[in-house]
Amino acid sequence: MTTLTYRDYLHIDKLLSIQAPRTPDTAGTEVVLAEHFFIVAHQTTELWLKQIIADLGAAAEALAPDPSRGQEGLAASDGELSAEFLLRANDLLLLLYNQLVALEKLPLRLFAEFRPFLDNASGAESAQFKAFSTLLGDDQSDGKLYETFRAATECAGTSVAEVCRLGVHSGVHHRIAELLLDIGNAYWRWKVAHLGVMSRSLGEQSGTGGSSGATYLAGRLAMPFGELRRLRGEVHAEMAAHHAAQRAA
Ligand code: HEM
């Protein structure tokens, strides 16, 4: 009987054969290795993004209101399941952040040497990053994840505003709201770190995708979960009004 090996189970040969620096070998080992580092950073990001998108999709699915439950709303176990997925997505985003920071150590002279071989290839073309951003939404429009959360609160006879007001007293809804904000802030931190890596290594040069580079990326910094943030802010105004009413009484 043959036993499954680590190498076969994980398709290691295939995995390790898809890093293909375009720098010619004649350029020297340090340039080829620098490009290899750049490729691995992008490929692993795409791999983790695959997991993050799937986890966020599963988190939304677990939250999706079940009409058969009526006003009972979210089953506690579904809420916890959703939270478990959100927690993993958040941990993975932190990992992507650290990985990006490692790219700051890409030696400039070597990057300048292999960059022409990238042609017009650019991270801006990443279909997975776009899907991820759409799922999260931004400060102007809510993504599917937040919309499902809002629907789950309404189905339970409460609201996101109420969840913000009650905090821990709203149970698993509060836990999910906090995790959404963790993820939103981790996404923002990744974007700021990416701008930092980019501006450190390119200055005012334009991107391989044809954008203005730093100016373009700075203009794309947006915070997900705009409504949730606004509703949290309103808790201060409500509390201030409450204090004022007490003083007047
Ligand atoms: C030395 C490292 C890096 C540099 C200099 C860099 C540079 C840039 C630039 C200039 C852009 C703007 C679009 C363009 O004109 O090309 C961009 C966009 C982007 N890059 Fe990078 N990048 C780096 C690393 C990474 C890594 C490791 C990833 C991970 C996959 C990544 C993902 C992206 C994404 C998703 C966008 C689109 C961002 C958005 O639409 O807001 N980049 N990058």
Side-chain angles (χ1 to χ4, degrees):
M1 194 183 81
T2 54
T3 52
L4 184 64
T5 63
Y6 175 86
R7 182 176 166 188
D8 287 343
Y9 175 60
L10 295 172
H11 301 277
I12 298 292
D13 294 346
K14 198 193 277 182
L15 185 66
L16 300 186
S17 71
I18 55 166
Q19 293 71 47
R22 292 167 63 90
T23 312
D25 287 342
T26 49
T29 311
E30 54 175 353
V31 192
V32 176
L33 273 184
E35 190 186 351
H36 185 271
F37 174 39
F38 184 80
I39 291 172
V40 170
H42 282 81
Q43 287 184 339
T44 48
T45 300
E46 289 290 339
L47 268 182
W48 285 126
L49 277 175
K50 184 179 175 196
Q51 181 75 41
I52 291 170
I53 293 166
D55 282 342
L56 294 183
E61 203 172 305
L63 272 186
D66 176 355
S68 68
R69 295 187 64 86
Q71 284 297 96
E72 276 175 60
L74 192 65
S77 60
D78 288 340
E80 286 304 328
L81 182 63
S82 181
E84 194 171 73
F85 284 123
L86 292 174
L87 194 57
R88 180 161 66 207
N90 183 51
D91 284 348
L92 293 178
L93 261 175
L94 299 180
L95 197 145
L96 287 190
Y97 169 83
N98 283 320
Q99 180 170 298
L100 195 57
V101 169
L103 255 188
E104 289 195 356
K105 298 295 176 296
L106 182 68
L108 178 61
R109 69 186 191 286
L110 305 179
F111 184 38
E113 206 164 331
F114 76 73
R115 190 164 179 258
F117 296 109
L118 306 180
D119 289 337
N120 295 125
S122 162
E125 295 168 279
S126 169
Q128 289 206 107
F129 198 84
K130 279 181 198 146
F132 173 44
S133 303
T134 307
L135 207 50
L136 295 188
D138 55 33
D139 40 11
Q140 300 302 321
S141 65
D142 294 317
K144 181 182 158 206
L145 196 54
Y146 180 73
E147 281 170 1
T148 315
F149 173 58
R150 186 172 45 209
T153 58
E154 284 161 10
C155 186
T158 178
S159 67
V160 179
E162 185 71 355
V163 171
C164 293
R165 224 171 282 131
L166 294 177
V168 290
H169 302 295
S170 67
V172 75
H173 287 120
H174 167 71
R175 214 159 109 69
I176 289 167
E178 291 293 312
L179 281 163
L180 291 180
L181 290 166
D182 286 344
I183 290 171
N185 281 9
Y187 171 81
W188 162 267
R189 273 196 291 274
W190 186 93
K191 283 210 144 197
V192 172
H194 176 257
L195 173 58
V197 172
M198 187 258 124
S199 105
R200 181 172 167 153
S201 56
L202 285 184
E204 293 174 358
Q205 300 293 309
S206 53
T208 47
S211 81
S212 58
T215 313
Y216 168 77
L217 289 176
R220 289 190 54 79
L221 293 175
M223 279 204 160
F225 310 122
E227 182 180 282
L228 180 54
R229 291 171 200 276
R230 277 190 293 278
L231 289 171
R232 284 168 68 85
E234 282 173 18
V235 173
H236 293 276
E238 284 169 19
M239 194 52 85
H242 174 72
H243 284 313
Q246 273 191 332
R247 274 196 303 273

